[in-house]
């Protein structure tokens, strides 16, 4: 069987060495070796069996990249500024850092460069949002084959009668379609009389609100409380902390 050539940056991303953007940066700086030889030409292709190593500078630079957890308030967008709305990254400043953050990391404004949201949380939703400079973290959380689930607490009101029928709760767990495609199975259960817990593996635009609409539920409030093994915990609204070295999604 013949091997297929792949772009070096794509192969590095597949191997979990870096994001594609980081890979291109490192190749341009001469920090990547294929079978022991430095490769500095962007767009170079390699065979999967070839051995890829990166120089120590790349690893050192990567370990300096920060990941920040923020408890996003209503009225902030998670990504780029849009239509006069402020992006959540504007809240990342020294005075908004949670006093109980136990990370030894010192805040410096250069950390705001290339700090991107790894996943969306829409303007009307609150809770845990991850901003990272580390391409590996972003890929882990928003790559199309992500294994990381996310948990939300959703306050709802049933609009078609007294109480959501069990058959509709079952459909929320599995059986709904959005955008012409079946949704992956979810875990949806009642937390109390007016609040559901949703655990999802995917994140289509306004997915939970649209799922609720399909079964006659109106969403009154939506809060993300967990991403993988990382919980929102007691982090106050509008404040942030660093992902600590011993935390993994």
């Amino acid at each position: 069987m013949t091997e297929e050539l792949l772009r070096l940056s794509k192969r590095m991303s597949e191997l979990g060495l870096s994001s594609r953007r980081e890979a291109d940066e490192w190749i341009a700086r001469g920090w990547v070796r294929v079978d022991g030889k430095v490769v500095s030409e962007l767009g170079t292709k390699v065979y999967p069996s070839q051995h890829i190593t990166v120089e120590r500078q790349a690893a050192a630079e990567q370990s300096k990249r920060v990941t920040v957890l923020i408890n996003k308030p209503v009225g902030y967008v998670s990504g780029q500024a849009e239509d006069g709305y402020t992006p959540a990254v504007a809240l990342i400043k020294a005075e908004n850092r949670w006093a109980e953050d136990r990370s030894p990391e010192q805040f410096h404004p250069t950390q705001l460069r290339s700090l991107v949201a790894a996943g969306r949380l829409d303007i009307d939703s609150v809770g845990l949002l991850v901003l990272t400079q580390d391409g590996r973290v972003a890929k882990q959380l928003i790559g199309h084959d992500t294994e990381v689930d996310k948990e939300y607490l959703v306050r709802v009101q049933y609009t078609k009668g007294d109480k959501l029928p069990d058959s509709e709760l079952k459909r929320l767990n599995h059986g709904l379609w959005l955008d012409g495609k079946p949704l992956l199975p979810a875990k949806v259960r009642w937390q109390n009389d007016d609040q559901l817990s949703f655990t999802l593996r995917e994140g289509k635009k306004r997915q939970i609100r649209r799922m609720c609409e399909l079964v006659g539920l109106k969403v009154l409030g939506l809060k993300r409380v967990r991403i993988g093994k990382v919980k929102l915990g007691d982090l106050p609204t509008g404040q942030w902390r660093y992902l600590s070295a011993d935390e993994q999604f």
Side-chain angles (χ1 to χ4, degrees), residues 27-48:
I27 293 163
R29 289 181 175 190
W31 288 354
V32 179
R33 291 175 183 260
V34 177
D35 294 337
K37 292 198 182 77
V38 172
V39 171
S40 54
E41 197 178 318
L42 291 178
T44 297
K45 295 197 166 182
V46 294
Y47 289 110

Side-chain angles (χ1 to χ4, degrees), residues 86-214:
T86 311
V89 72
L91 293 163
I92 312 288
K93 42 192 177 194
E95 59 267 34
N96 290 345
R97 184 174 178 181
W98 190 28
E100 291 178 38
D101 185 357
R102 54 184 219 282
S103 166
E105 188 74 57
Q106 295 288 312
F107 175 68
H108 195 275
T110 55
Q111 291 167 351
L112 300 174
R113 277 209 309 259
S114 70
L115 196 62
V116 294
R120 277 192 305 257
L121 198 54
D122 70 43
I123 192 161
D124 309 315
S125 303
V126 301
L128 185 57
L129 182 67
V130 177
L131 299 164
T132 187
Q133 292 178 312
D134 189 334
R136 293 166 305 174
V137 172
K139 183 170 187 282
Q140 197 184 11
L141 297 189
I142 52 182
H144 60 86
D145 50 0
T146 179
E147 290 291 307
V148 178
D149 63 0
K150 302 176 181 77
E151 187 183 349
Y152 303 79
L153 294 181
V154 188
R155 264 196 26 255
V156 291
Q157 183 184 359
Y158 189 48
T159 58
K160 292 183 174 176
D162 198 27
K163 187 171 167 286
L164 181 76
D166 286 345
S167 59
E168 294 294 74
L169 182 64
K170 276 206 181 89
R171 281 179 70 215
L172 283 172
N173 277 274
H174 195 203
L176 293 177
W177 288 57
L178 281 181
D179 307 326
K181 287 192 181 135
L183 292 175
L184 294 176
K187 275 192 201 129
V188 185
R189 58 181 198 278
W190 288 105
Q191 288 285 102
N192 50 45
D193 287 348
D194 68 345
Q195 191 162 262
L196 286 164
S197 154
F198 275 73
T199 301
L200 304 179
R201 271 274 168 87
E202 58 193 329
K204 293 185 186 299
K205 200 162 182 186
R206 296 179 84 84
Q207 178 169 337
I208 290 175
R209 293 173 192 277
R210 292 162 70 200
M211 286 170 76
C212 285
E213 226 165 75
L214 290 171

Side-chain angles (χ1 to χ4, degrees), residues 2 16 32 62 68 119 132 143 196 219 229 245-246 249:
T2 55
V32 179
Q62 207 168 37
V68 167
T132 187
L196 286 164
V219 171
K229 293 182 190 152
D246 58 359
F249 290 103

